[in-house]
Amino acid sequence: MKKLILIILCCLCVTGVYSQRFIGSLIAGANVSQVEGDDVRGYRKAGFVGGASVMIALDKKMQWFATVELLYSMKGSRSMGTRAFDTTNYAPAMFLDVDRSVEFQNSAKYKCRLDLDYVEIPVLFHYEDWHTGCAFGLGFSWGRLVRAQEWYNGFKRTTSLNSNTYDKNDWSVIADVKFMLYKGLKLEMRFQYSLASIRTFAIEYRNSAQPTEFKKQQNNLFSIRLVYSFKEKYVENTHENKRGERQGVKWIRETNIYD
């Protein structure tokens, strides 16, 4: 956490050389996620992602930005399909972590579901091309687990925030792209992948001769979001190419310098 704060402060110091301009934004969208290593494949878990961000211009043309966000992000995994019958009497060792205070869900429409909610602080560096209205970014994120819940085959497991089943910290890498829709409104698509495992799961086989297998699990998601930046001034793009037609998007920031 101290390293993250130091990086953010460095970004703020660099900005002072070029500009005192900060651009605030509101963010809302959806994640589609999976957890690598849990044998539940596919981006079937949908969840909310939203929060706010601050963009900091790093050059006079306002093409390079450092972006710091504060988000609430819902991750996890989900397996649809026919729920198997109550197997606790046949393989009791597999259900030692069942929460007996919660009734067996006979009508469950999914076999597995994992809910992991995080408060995240992503830090990214973006390059924005005013000709196309697109911005490309790379960065990393630190997330703190604030909610954990897990269901398996109709049973609620004892997984919780205090059970220490999953690591409370999630460090991940991020790549994203933004498209301008209208002035300060942008559509953003993002890919995010955990750098370290959020859980190491031990698989013990009935055959004692076969060694215990350990699987590392990591968050893996795509998200689509709307980003609205406020207090930005836009002007109509009058820059023309050689054929006398407008070059680039209709609206650009008034601070953009034409080539």
Side-chain angles (χ1 to χ4, degrees), residues 45 182 206:
K45 175 66 168 60
Y182 177 76
R206 293 183 180 181

Side-chain angles (χ1 to χ4, degrees), residues 199-210:
R199 180 191 185 190
T200 301
F201 184 67
I203 302 176
E204 297 182 2
Y205 295 94
R206 293 183 180 181
N207 183 2
S208 59
Q210 190 169 357

Side-chain angles (χ1 to χ4, degrees), residues 165-183:
T165 307
Y166 291 89
D167 196 321
K168 288 185 171 63
N169 297 303
D170 181 24
W171 291 91
S172 54
V173 291
I174 297 173
D176 72 13
V177 58
K178 297 179 185 179
F179 303 94
M180 180 184 291
L181 298 179
Y182 177 76
K183 293 189 178 182

Side-chain angles (χ1 to χ4, degrees), residues 100-113:
R100 300 295 176 180
S101 65
V102 178
E103 185 178 353
F104 172 72
Q105 301 295 310
N106 188 55
S107 61
K109 295 180 180 180
Y110 48 83
K111 295 183 68 174
C112 303
R113 192 184 85 195

Side-chain angles (χ1 to χ4, degrees), residues 39-158:
D39 295 328
V40 180
R41 296 177 177 85
Y43 297 93
R44 298 188 180 92
K45 175 66 168 60
F48 170 78
V49 59
S53 69
V54 176
M55 293 173 56
I56 307 165
L58 300 179
D59 67 331
K60 293 181 180 180
K61 291 185 177 182
M62 296 189 73
Q63 290 181 299
W64 290 94
F65 293 89
T67 305
V68 181
E69 301 176 348
L70 178 62
L71 302 174
Y72 189 89
S73 182
M74 302 172 71
K75 308 178 186 180
S77 63
R78 184 184 181 103
S79 174
M80 303 296 293
T82 305
R83 181 194 58 76
F85 55 86
D86 184 346
T87 55
T88 52
N89 295 326
Y90 299 90
M94 294 179 62
F95 294 89
L96 295 177
D97 61 349
V98 168
D99 186 350
R100 300 295 176 180
S101 65
V102 178
E103 185 178 353
F104 172 72
Q105 301 295 310
N106 188 55
S107 61
K109 295 180 180 180
Y110 48 83
K111 295 183 68 174
C112 303
R113 192 184 85 195
L114 173 62
D115 299 329
L116 298 174
D117 295 0
Y118 293 85
V119 171
E120 291 190 326
I121 304 178
V123 178
L124 297 95
F125 292 91
H126 284 94
Y127 172 78
E128 184 173 299
D129 178 16
W130 69 265
H131 294 90
T132 62
C134 295
F136 306 90
L138 293 173
F140 64 92
S141 175
W142 170 74
R144 183 69 175 179
L145 186 65
V146 295
R147 177 176 172 269
Q149 180 176 268
E150 191 171 9
W151 292 81
Y152 179 75
N153 202 28
F155 290 92
K156 187 178 188 300
R157 290 186 153 171
T158 56

Side-chain angles (χ1 to χ4, degrees), residues 10-54:
C10 288
C11 291
L12 294 175
C13 291
V14 170
T15 335
V17 177
Y18 298 102
S19 171
Q20 297 297 323
R21 183 110 185 247
F22 294 79
I23 301 172
S25 301
L26 296 177
I27 302 166
N31 293 331
V32 285
S33 61
Q34 65 176 353
V35 175
E36 297 282 349
D38 68 351
D39 295 328
V40 180
R41 296 177 177 85
Y43 297 93
R44 298 188 180 92
K45 175 66 168 60
F48 170 78
V49 59
S53 69
V54 176

